[in-house]
């Protein structure tokens, strides 16, 4: 998959004086059914997450609170997405290396995933990822 497939999806936002509400429906707002949800929180200052790729997994990354940068790399080029709104979802296609940096204090990163956790779907080595990405 190419970097052009990865984009910020503007999620529905119901504005109300009592506070805003955003919702995400699998297969409707995002191009996959949601099988797993996980989140990162209490990330210490300066820590970097990600640093891996996935063979088949599709994901949607949302900054539930705070901000961070997601750097996507398809083996050919890189693009940085600054995530700082709870109604933005970054769609990450398969075969994408991701690095997560500049995580603000108190940030909560939620990820919706198309598959259950499966370590065999990971690329943990960038060299191996970029070789397979170029095939
Ligand atoms: P990893 O995906 O490497 O973290 P990051 O969010 O920085 O990309 O996962 C960190 C650890 O958590 C690793 O040992 C695998 C485990 N893990 C699960 O058991 N289930 C999950 O759904 C996820 C995302 C990770």
């Amino acid at each position: 998959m190419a970097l052009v497939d990865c984009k910020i999806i503007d999620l529905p936002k119901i504005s109300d004086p009592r506070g805003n509400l955003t919702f995400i429906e699998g297969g409707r707002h995002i191009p996959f059914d949601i099988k797993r949800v996980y989140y990162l929180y209490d990330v210490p200052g300066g820590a970097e997450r990600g640093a891996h790729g996935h063979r088949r997994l599709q994901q949607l990354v949302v900054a539930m609170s705070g901000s961070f940068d997601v750097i996507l790399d398809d083996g050919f080029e890189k693009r940085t997405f600054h995530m700082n709104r709870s109604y933005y979802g970054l769609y990450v296609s398969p075969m994408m290396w991701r690095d997560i940096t500049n995580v603000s204090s108190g940030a909560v990163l939620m990820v919706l995933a198309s598959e259950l956790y499966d370590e065999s779907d990971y690329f943990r080595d960038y060299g191996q990822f970029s070789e397979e990405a170029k095939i």
Side-chain angles (χ1 to χ4, degrees):
M1 298 290 278
L3 208 42
V4 71
D5 301 307
C6 300
K7 55 178 187 284
I8 301 269
I9 296 174
D10 216 350
L11 299 165
K13 178 182 170 195
I14 312 289
S15 298
D16 188 299
R18 300 170 299 159
N20 299 328
L21 183 153
T22 285
F23 56 98
I24 306 167
E25 296 179 356
R28 180 175 287 180
H29 302 111
I30 56 176
F32 58 85
D33 288 330
I34 300 159
K35 278 209 187 148
R36 175 168 54 113
V37 178
Y38 66 92
Y39 33 93
L40 302 175
Y41 51 95
D42 293 344
V43 177
E48 303 201 340
R49 303 288 316 213
H52 62 256
H54 287 281
R55 290 178 168 80
R56 289 176 302 278
L57 191 69
Q58 301 177 75
Q59 294 172 304
L60 187 86
V61 182
V62 181
M64 299 302 281
S65 183
S67 64
F68 51 88
D69 292 329
V70 182
I71 304 155
L72 297 183
D73 177 345
D74 64 3
F76 294 91
E77 53 174 336
K78 290 184 189 192
R79 192 170 159 200
T80 300
F81 296 86
H82 183 59
M83 304 300 294
N84 61 352
R85 296 282 179 264
S86 307
Y87 53 86
Y88 285 160
L90 174 62
Y91 172 71
V92 182
S93 70
M95 290 305 288
M96 206 57 58
W97 188 267
R98 85 287 321 275
D99 289 300
I100 299 174
T101 61
N102 295 328
V103 181
S104 73
S105 163
V108 180
L109 294 66
M110 181 182 70
V111 183
L112 309 183
S114 65
E115 307 298 334
L116 301 182
Y117 173 72
D118 174 11
E119 185 62 34
S120 72
D121 188 61
Y122 279 73
F123 289 99
R124 296 280 186 191
D125 177 70
Y126 184 79
Q128 194 195 348
F129 166 77
S130 69
E131 267 180 34
E132 290 200 30
K134 286 180 171 128
I135 293 169

PDB file of all heavy atoms in Angstrom, residues 36 38 40 49-50 52 117 119 122 124, ligand 1:
ATOM      1  N   ARG A  36     -10.386  -4.695  17.452  1.00  0.00           N
ATOM      2  CA  ARG A  36      -9.581  -4.473  18.664  1.00  0.00           C
ATOM      3  C   ARG A  36      -9.426  -2.982  18.875  1.00  0.00           C
ATOM      4  O   ARG A  36      -9.343  -2.214  17.905  1.00  0.00           O
ATOM      5  CB  ARG A  36      -8.214  -5.137  18.478  1.00  0.00           C
ATOM      6  CG  ARG A  36      -7.216  -4.915  19.588  1.00  0.00           C
ATOM      7  CD  ARG A  36      -6.021  -5.862  19.417  1.00  0.00           C
ATOM      8  NE  ARG A  36      -5.438  -5.741  18.092  1.00  0.00           N
ATOM      9  CZ  ARG A  36      -4.226  -5.247  17.845  1.00  0.00           C
ATOM     10  NH1 ARG A  36      -3.445  -4.868  18.837  1.00  0.00           N
ATOM     11  NH2 ARG A  36      -3.781  -5.166  16.613  1.00  0.00           N
ATOM     12  N   TYR A  38      -6.990  -0.394  21.364  1.00  0.00           N
ATOM     13  CA  TYR A  38      -5.992  -0.255  22.433  1.00  0.00           C
ATOM     14  C   TYR A  38      -5.604   1.209  22.546  1.00  0.00           C
ATOM     15  O   TYR A  38      -5.895   2.002  21.650  1.00  0.00           O
ATOM     16  CB  TYR A  38      -4.777  -1.165  22.216  1.00  0.00           C
ATOM     17  CG  TYR A  38      -3.910  -0.871  21.027  1.00  0.00           C
ATOM     18  CD1 TYR A  38      -2.798  -0.019  21.141  1.00  0.00           C
ATOM     19  CD2 TYR A  38      -4.165  -1.448  19.793  1.00  0.00           C
ATOM     20  CE1 TYR A  38      -1.971   0.231  20.060  1.00  0.00           C
ATOM     21  CE2 TYR A  38      -3.346  -1.194  18.700  1.00  0.00           C
ATOM     22  CZ  TYR A  38      -2.254  -0.352  18.840  1.00  0.00           C
ATOM     23  OH  TYR A  38      -1.447  -0.086  17.765  1.00  0.00           O
ATOM     24  N   LEU A  40      -2.630   4.123  24.332  1.00  0.00           N
ATOM     25  CA  LEU A  40      -1.369   4.441  25.005  1.00  0.00           C
ATOM     26  C   LEU A  40      -1.618   5.659  25.873  1.00  0.00           C
ATOM     27  O   LEU A  40      -2.259   6.620  25.436  1.00  0.00           O
ATOM     28  CB  LEU A  40      -0.279   4.773  23.974  1.00  0.00           C
ATOM     29  CG  LEU A  40       0.037   3.698  22.936  1.00  0.00           C
ATOM     30  CD1 LEU A  40       1.046   4.242  21.917  1.00  0.00           C
ATOM     31  CD2 LEU A  40       0.611   2.470  23.622  1.00  0.00           C
ATOM     32  N   ARG A  49       7.155   5.796  20.548  1.00  0.00           N
ATOM     33  CA  ARG A  49       6.427   4.534  20.390  1.00  0.00           C
ATOM     34  C   ARG A  49       6.433   4.132  18.919  1.00  0.00           C
ATOM     35  O   ARG A  49       6.973   4.831  18.080  1.00  0.00           O
ATOM     36  CB  ARG A  49       4.979   4.688  20.895  1.00  0.00           C
ATOM     37  CG  ARG A  49       4.831   5.147  22.320  1.00  0.00           C
ATOM     38  CD  ARG A  49       5.197   4.136  23.357  1.00  0.00           C
ATOM     39  NE  ARG A  49       4.722   2.789  23.143  1.00  0.00           N
ATOM     40  CZ  ARG A  49       4.383   1.955  24.120  1.00  0.00           C
ATOM     41  NH1 ARG A  49       4.430   2.356  25.373  1.00  0.00           N
ATOM     42  NH2 ARG A  49       4.015   0.715  23.857  1.00  0.00           N
ATOM     43  N   GLY A  50       5.752   3.057  18.639  1.00  0.00           N
ATOM     44  CA  GLY A  50       5.703   2.600  17.248  1.00  0.00           C
ATOM     45  C   GLY A  50       7.000   1.909  16.889  1.00  0.00           C
ATOM     46  O   GLY A  50       7.375   0.935  17.526  1.00  0.00           O
ATOM     47  N   HIS A  52       7.594   0.198  14.158  1.00  0.00           N
ATOM     48  CA  HIS A  52       7.323  -1.100  13.551  1.00  0.00           C
ATOM     49  C   HIS A  52       6.369  -0.916  12.376  1.00  0.00           C
ATOM     50  O   HIS A  52       5.811   0.153  12.179  1.00  0.00           O
ATOM     51  CB  HIS A  52       6.751  -2.077  14.581  1.00  0.00           C
ATOM     52  CG  HIS A  52       5.444  -1.673  15.166  1.00  0.00           C
ATOM     53  ND1 HIS A  52       5.320  -1.151  16.422  1.00  0.00           N
ATOM     54  CD2 HIS A  52       4.203  -1.694  14.652  1.00  0.00           C
ATOM     55  CE1 HIS A  52       4.050  -0.878  16.662  1.00  0.00           C
ATOM     56  NE2 HIS A  52       3.346  -1.186  15.602  1.00  0.00           N
ATOM     57  N   TYR A 117      -4.635  -8.898  18.127  1.00  0.00           N
ATOM     58  CA  TYR A 117      -3.177  -8.807  18.261  1.00  0.00           C
ATOM     59  C   TYR A 117      -2.521 -10.083  17.717  1.00  0.00           C
ATOM     60  O   TYR A 117      -2.903 -11.197  18.076  1.00  0.00           O
ATOM     61  CB  TYR A 117      -2.797  -8.613  19.732  1.00  0.00           C
ATOM     62  CG  TYR A 117      -1.314  -8.675  19.941  1.00  0.00           C
ATOM     63  CD1 TYR A 117      -0.500  -7.636  19.515  1.00  0.00           C
ATOM     64  CD2 TYR A 117      -0.720  -9.793  20.526  1.00  0.00           C
ATOM     65  CE1 TYR A 117       0.876  -7.705  19.679  1.00  0.00           C
ATOM     66  CE2 TYR A 117       0.646  -9.863  20.693  1.00  0.00           C
ATOM     67  CZ  TYR A 117       1.432  -8.812  20.262  1.00  0.00           C
ATOM     68  OH  TYR A 117       2.787  -8.882  20.420  1.00  0.00           O
ATOM     69  N   GLU A 119       1.536 -11.107  16.827  1.00  0.00           N
ATOM     70  CA  GLU A 119       2.940 -10.685  16.692  1.00  0.00           C
ATOM     71  C   GLU A 119       3.514 -11.062  15.318  1.00  0.00           C
ATOM     72  O   GLU A 119       4.394 -10.372  14.804  1.00  0.00           O
ATOM     73  CB  GLU A 119       3.775 -11.280  17.838  1.00  0.00           C
ATOM     74  CG  GLU A 119       5.227 -10.826  17.882  1.00  0.00           C
ATOM     75  CD  GLU A 119       5.430  -9.316  18.082  1.00  0.00           C
ATOM     76  OE1 GLU A 119       4.620  -8.684  18.782  1.00  0.00           O
ATOM     77  OE2 GLU A 119       6.402  -8.770  17.508  1.00  0.00           O
ATOM     78  N   TYR A 122       3.747  -8.354  12.644  1.00  0.00           N
ATOM     79  CA  TYR A 122       4.646  -7.193  12.821  1.00  0.00           C
ATOM     80  C   TYR A 122       5.916  -7.318  11.992  1.00  0.00           C
ATOM     81  O   TYR A 122       6.460  -8.412  11.850  1.00  0.00           O
ATOM     82  CB  TYR A 122       5.102  -7.102  14.274  1.00  0.00           C
ATOM     83  CG  TYR A 122       4.149  -6.453  15.258  1.00  0.00           C
ATOM     84  CD1 TYR A 122       2.997  -7.087  15.689  1.00  0.00           C
ATOM     85  CD2 TYR A 122       4.446  -5.201  15.811  1.00  0.00           C
ATOM     86  CE1 TYR A 122       2.148  -6.493  16.627  1.00  0.00           C
ATOM     87  CE2 TYR A 122       3.600  -4.612  16.746  1.00  0.00           C
ATOM     88  CZ  TYR A 122       2.456  -5.264  17.147  1.00  0.00           C
ATOM     89  OH  TYR A 122       1.634  -4.682  18.070  1.00  0.00           O
ATOM     90  N   ARG A 124       9.432  -5.844  12.919  1.00  0.00           N
ATOM     91  CA  ARG A 124      10.132  -5.119  13.988  1.00  0.00           C
ATOM     92  C   ARG A 124      11.466  -4.574  13.481  1.00  0.00           C
ATOM     93  O   ARG A 124      12.108  -3.788  14.162  1.00  0.00           O
ATOM     94  CB  ARG A 124      10.381  -6.047  15.181  1.00  0.00           C
ATOM     95  CG  ARG A 124       9.106  -6.561  15.863  1.00  0.00           C
ATOM     96  CD  ARG A 124       8.538  -5.535  16.786  1.00  0.00           C
ATOM     97  NE  ARG A 124       7.407  -6.056  17.559  1.00  0.00           N
ATOM     98  CZ  ARG A 124       6.613  -5.276  18.274  1.00  0.00           C
ATOM     99  NH1 ARG A 124       6.827  -3.971  18.319  1.00  0.00           N
ATOM    100  NH2 ARG A 124       5.601  -5.770  18.947  1.00  0.00           N
TER     101      ARG A 124
HETATM  102  P1  LIG B   1       3.736  -2.407  20.447  1.00  0.00           P
HETATM  103  O1  LIG B   1       2.722  -2.626  19.368  1.00  0.00           O
HETATM  104  O2  LIG B   1       5.160  -2.682  20.122  1.00  0.00           O
HETATM  105  O3  LIG B   1       3.654  -0.909  21.006  1.00  0.00           O
HETATM  106  P2  LIG B   1       3.471   0.502  20.276  1.00  0.00           P
HETATM  107  O4  LIG B   1       2.158   0.944  20.736  1.00  0.00           O
HETATM  108  O5  LIG B   1       4.569   1.380  20.712  1.00  0.00           O
HETATM  109  O6  LIG B   1       3.428   0.293  18.833  1.00  0.00           O
HETATM  110  O7  LIG B   1       3.279  -3.241  21.711  1.00  0.00           O
HETATM  111  C1  LIG B   1       3.953  -3.147  22.948  1.00  0.00           C
HETATM  112  C2  LIG B   1       3.744  -4.447  23.717  1.00  0.00           C
HETATM  113  O8  LIG B   1       2.352  -4.668  23.977  1.00  0.00           O
HETATM  114  C3  LIG B   1       4.238  -5.675  22.954  1.00  0.00           C
HETATM  115  O9  LIG B   1       4.852  -6.534  23.905  1.00  0.00           O
HETATM  116  C4  LIG B   1       2.985  -6.346  22.444  1.00  0.00           C
HETATM  117  C5  LIG B   1       1.920  -5.927  23.451  1.00  0.00           C
HETATM  118  N1  LIG B   1       0.580  -5.749  22.836  1.00  0.00           N
HETATM  119  C6  LIG B   1      -0.420  -6.671  23.081  1.00  0.00           C
HETATM  120  O10 LIG B   1      -0.233  -7.667  23.800  1.00  0.00           O
HETATM  121  N2  LIG B   1      -1.643  -6.481  22.512  1.00  0.00           N
HETATM  122  C7  LIG B   1      -1.907  -5.417  21.712  1.00  0.00           C
HETATM  123  O11 LIG B   1      -3.055  -5.264  21.203  1.00  0.00           O
HETATM  124  C8  LIG B   1      -0.852  -4.470  21.440  1.00  0.00           C
HETATM  125  C9  LIG B   1      -1.071  -3.273  20.554  1.00  0.00           C
HETATM  126  C10 LIG B   1       0.381  -4.669  22.027  1.00  0.00           C
END
